[in-house]
Amino acid sequence: MTELTPKDVLERFQKAKERRGVWESHWQECYDFALPHRSGFFSGITPGEKRADKLFDGTAPDAVDQLAASMLAHLTPPWARWFGLTAGPEVQEDALQDLNKELDKAAQTLQTHFERSNFSIEMHQCYLDLVTVGSACLLFEEAAPGQPSAFRFTAVPLSQVMMEEGVSGMLTDTFRRSEMSFEHLRARFPESKLPADMENRTDRDKDEKLTVIEAVIENQTRFEYMAVLEHGYSTLAEPTLLRRGSFAHSPFIGFRWLKAPGESYGRSPVMKALPDIKTANKVVELALKNASIAVTGIWQADDDGVLNPATIKLVPGTIIPKAVGSAGLTPLQSPGSFDLSQVVLEELRKRIRHSLLADKLGATENKQMTATEVLERSAEMARILGATYGRLQAELLTPLVVRAIAVLNRRGELDNLHVDGRYIDLQYKSPLARQQTRKEAQDILAWIQSLGSLGPQAMDLIDPLKTARFLAKAYGVPGEILKSEAEMQASTEAKTADLPAGMDMGQITKAAQGLMENPQQMQDMMKELSNATQQ
């Protein structure tokens, strides 16, 4: 790949923007009916203005909020560690325990930085975009030295970002168009050399916004970064370069709910439910109009020079004059009622909540569920979100942790760790991931229980210690509370040293089994022991 120039970046940005244009009207419609407070694509948004004037039914926005909150709780919970580092399959057995303890400490360091950053706040905004329009973008930057956390996150609105698939099928090439003031531009790119006419301006308006294009483009094993000043650019001159660099891992993390073959952007559950959402919104609008007619009524009157219909206000306590002997103001009967709207609306709302998984992931009406009901609900949740979770694991969770490790490696807080799947592997510990792992552990426990009916020879097939360690890993037990192989061996030797001289553990076990088979001999021995104690 040849070296990119600022002009190349702007040309690729314009092409990416044109390809995204076919999605914008669809996204705007989804935002209008399901997430009205999100910024639009076709008109400027004034902060604090009303954005739900055309929305009459709140079922879809409520379901979107619940689904986004459920995604945050089940994938990246703020109150628990949702990932871990573990030794890979090529680590030697004697070094396994020590390496796992070191990796647990490294994972705790990562979790501490995530908790002290703004990760949960910005991640929730990304989940709202993901549920509404099917695509989202998270900017993962390294914070300045001295900050509480080494991480800084920004949920980039889709109105600012254009994403394209790379060779791997991931959203690797990203273009962001943002506007900033001159002071903000100078603070963010202090090393940049601006044009002389822009630098020496004295009549600068503080509200003037300058347009900046940031591009991250995959180049074999690295990602090339370039920031270009689009403001004032013309095709006759070379645009102003603000910054150039490269990353081992892209700071823009783009991810999707699901995608159709041949498309770069994702599709969302709101898109699937959009016909029902628009219909429910129209039904509520018509029902409200019908209610206003039912309250105020439709009236007719003769304009006889005394009664002027244009000046009549139908409010309680109003006295309407009329001529003697005239009909006055008479009500006009409505041709029908709209009572059927409640039946239609209830069915529409039910389908909307089902499409947005509010009936599966939301709060249940039965607060006191049995343990079996909890397991069944968790299994159903894992089944519904299985495909989506697999995509989010590849496009969001893995790049997120890998870039976090790279940032802390550069800062010297980690000892040059690299997740390669051979010596160091990434382990997911979110509630949804644990549900899938526990299902495997439950199958193993059921198999062990069935072996018990086959006799002792079948049970000898199992190594109890290895089974216990596997189950501990499956249930997310911290490695520091488990004994190492050396500690297990020392404990066994200490117990053997306490045995009577000339007897080992096998002989004592055999003697105990003989006493259990001869109850009379055990009673005689207990009686002799009692007499000896009294003497």
Side-chain angles (χ1 to χ4, degrees):
M1 181 178 178
T2 59
E3 184 177 359
L4 286 173
T5 65
K7 191 172 182 179
D8 294 334
V9 168
L10 291 184
E11 290 177 353
R12 293 189 59 172
F13 161 74
Q14 291 296 335
K15 293 180 180 179
K17 185 178 180 181
E18 292 175 3
R19 285 189 289 268
R20 193 197 68 173
V22 297
W23 291 87
E24 292 179 355
S25 60
H26 197 183
W27 288 346
Q28 185 64 57
E29 198 171 32
C30 292
Y31 281 133
D32 289 341
F33 288 97
L35 197 66
H37 63 268
R38 207 50 151 177
S39 59
F41 292 88
F42 304 112
S43 60
I45 297 297
T46 304
E49 70 173 341
K50 296 180 180 180
R51 302 179 188 176
D53 293 343
K54 298 181 181 180
L55 190 65
F56 295 94
D57 183 69
T59 305
D62 179 66
V64 165
D65 287 340
Q66 289 192 32
L67 182 53
S70 297
M71 297 291 290
L72 182 66
H74 292 137
L75 289 180
T76 54
W79 55 84
R81 188 193 300 182
W82 47 270
F83 66 93
L85 300 175
T86 183
E90 297 188 12
V91 177
Q92 299 296 327
E93 190 71 24
D94 54 352
L96 191 63
Q97 298 298 320
D98 293 337
L99 179 59
N100 277 332
K101 288 184 178 180
E102 293 298 324
L103 293 178
D104 281 341
K105 294 180 181 178
Q108 183 58 46
T109 301
L110 283 169
Q111 180 67 23
T112 302
H113 280 280
F114 275 112
E115 291 176 350
R116 291 187 306 202
S117 70
N118 61 338
F119 172 72
S120 298
I121 300 173
E122 299 299 318
M123 196 70 247
H124 179 253
Q125 296 297 322
C126 286
Y127 284 138
L128 289 172
D129 280 338
L130 181 70
V131 171
T132 305
V133 295
S135 303
C137 183
L138 180 69
L139 176 59
F140 186 173
E141 298 177 292
E142 181 178 354
Q147 297 294 323
S149 172
F151 306 151
R152 182 176 62 195
F153 299 92
T154 304
V156 184
L158 284 184
S159 58
Q160 296 182 4
V161 68
M162 277 65 68
M163 298 178 288
E164 294 186 335
E165 281 189 351
V167 178
S168 61
M170 309 281 282
L171 294 174
T172 54
D173 297 348
T174 308
F175 301 89
R176 183 190 182 188
R177 182 183 186 274
S178 56
E179 296 181 348
M180 57 187 72
S181 63
F182 183 80
E183 289 77 11
H184 187 188
L185 180 69
R186 265 288 169 226
R188 183 162 185 179
F189 306 102
E191 74 283 0
S192 62
K193 185 178 180 180
L194 299 178
D197 57 342
M198 181 178 293
E199 190 77 48
N200 300 327
R201 280 182 54 184
T202 58
D203 58 341
R204 187 178 306 279
D205 185 2
K206 292 184 178 181
D207 296 331
E208 181 186 8
K209 299 296 182 181
L210 306 179
T211 305
V212 177
I213 305 298
E214 295 178 88
V216 175
I217 301 173
E218 186 179 20
N219 184 6
Q220 297 180 354
T221 59
R222 296 190 65 84
F223 293 87
E224 301 296 331
Y225 170 82
M226 186 177 295
V228 180
L229 182 64
E230 187 191 35
H231 188 81
Y233 163 70
S234 64
T235 57
L236 301 178
E238 189 72 14
T240 303
L241 176 65
L242 299 177
R243 181 178 295 168
R244 181 194 294 270
S246 65
F247 296 95
H249 307 281
S250 176
F252 289 99
I253 302 176
F255 50 100
R256 297 161 289 190
W257 180 272
L258 59 86
K259 92 176 192 70
E263 296 180 349
S264 297
Y265 294 97
R267 293 188 175 269
S268 68
V270 169
M271 292 181 180
K272 181 176 66 175
L274 191 58
D276 289 335
I277 295 173
K278 294 169 66 176
T279 304
N281 193 72
K282 193 64 177 180
V283 169
V284 174
E285 180 184 0
L286 295 177
L288 292 175
K289 289 181 178 179
N290 185 69
S292 65
I293 292 174
V295 171
T296 59
I298 302 177
W299 304 79
Q300 61 180 352
D302 294 331
D303 188 0
D304 55 1
V306 178
L307 179 65
N308 185 5
T311 61
I312 295 175
K313 294 182 180 180
L314 296 176
V315 296
T318 301
I319 299 176
I320 302 175
K322 77 180 189 67
V324 178
S326 66
L329 194 64
T330 58
L332 182 64
Q333 295 297 325
S334 176
S337 64
F338 206 64
D339 297 336
L340 187 61
S341 62
Q342 294 301 320
V343 179
V344 175
L345 186 60
E346 188 64 28
E347 183 64 24
L348 288 171
R349 287 172 173 172
K350 183 178 179 181
R351 291 208 301 260
I352 292 170
R353 294 178 61 83
H354 180 75
S355 299
L356 298 181
L357 306 180
D359 57 342
K360 303 296 183 183
L361 304 181
T364 59
E365 296 180 0
N366 184 12
K367 301 298 182 181
Q368 297 179 351
M369 293 189 299
T370 64
T372 304
E373 290 174 341
V374 173
L375 292 177
E376 289 297 327
R377 180 177 171 85
S378 300
E380 187 176 13
M381 177 191 66
R383 178 181 60 83
I384 293 174
L385 292 179
T388 301
Y389 176 73
R391 176 175 292 278
L392 292 178
Q393 178 175 311
E395 295 186 352
L396 170 64
L397 302 182
T398 300
L400 191 63
V401 177
V402 169
R403 174 156 172 77
I405 292 175
V407 170
L408 295 187
N409 281 337
R410 185 165 57 250
R411 286 191 168 218
E413 297 189 35
L414 296 181
D415 189 14
N416 199 24
L417 295 180
H418 296 282
V419 177
D420 55 6
R422 297 166 53 204
Y423 296 98
I424 299 177
D425 199 4
L426 188 58
Q427 185 181 24
Y428 295 103
K429 297 184 177 182
S430 65
L432 186 59
R434 285 183 178 179
Q435 175 60 32
Q436 297 175 342
T437 308
R438 286 173 183 173
K439 179 63 172 61
E440 181 181 0
Q442 290 170 2
D443 293 341
I444 293 175
L445 291 175
W447 174 73
I448 294 175
Q449 186 176 3
S450 64
L451 286 183
S453 61
L454 300 179
Q457 292 183 347
M459 294 299 294
D460 289 341
L461 182 64
I462 302 173
D463 187 333
L465 291 181
K466 290 184 178 180
T467 304
R469 293 190 184 280
F470 176 82
L471 293 176
K473 182 179 179 180
Y475 283 98
V477 177
E480 58 264 20
I481 70 173
L482 302 178
K483 290 184 178 180
S484 63
E485 296 292 341
E487 292 172 340
M488 290 290 297
Q489 185 177 359
S491 178
T492 303
E493 292 175 354
K495 292 179 181 178
T496 305
D498 295 336
L499 299 178
M503 295 186 67
D504 58 8
M505 182 64 73
Q507 293 173 332
I508 292 179
T509 303
K510 186 176 181 181
Q513 291 177 350
L515 291 176
M516 293 295 294
E517 295 174 357
N518 193 344
Q520 184 61 41
Q521 185 179 357
M522 180 180 290
Q523 292 179 3
D524 295 340
M525 182 180 291
M526 294 298 296
K527 184 180 296 184
E528 292 177 3
L529 181 60
S530 177
N531 294 336
T533 304
Q534 293 176 359
Q535 293 176 0

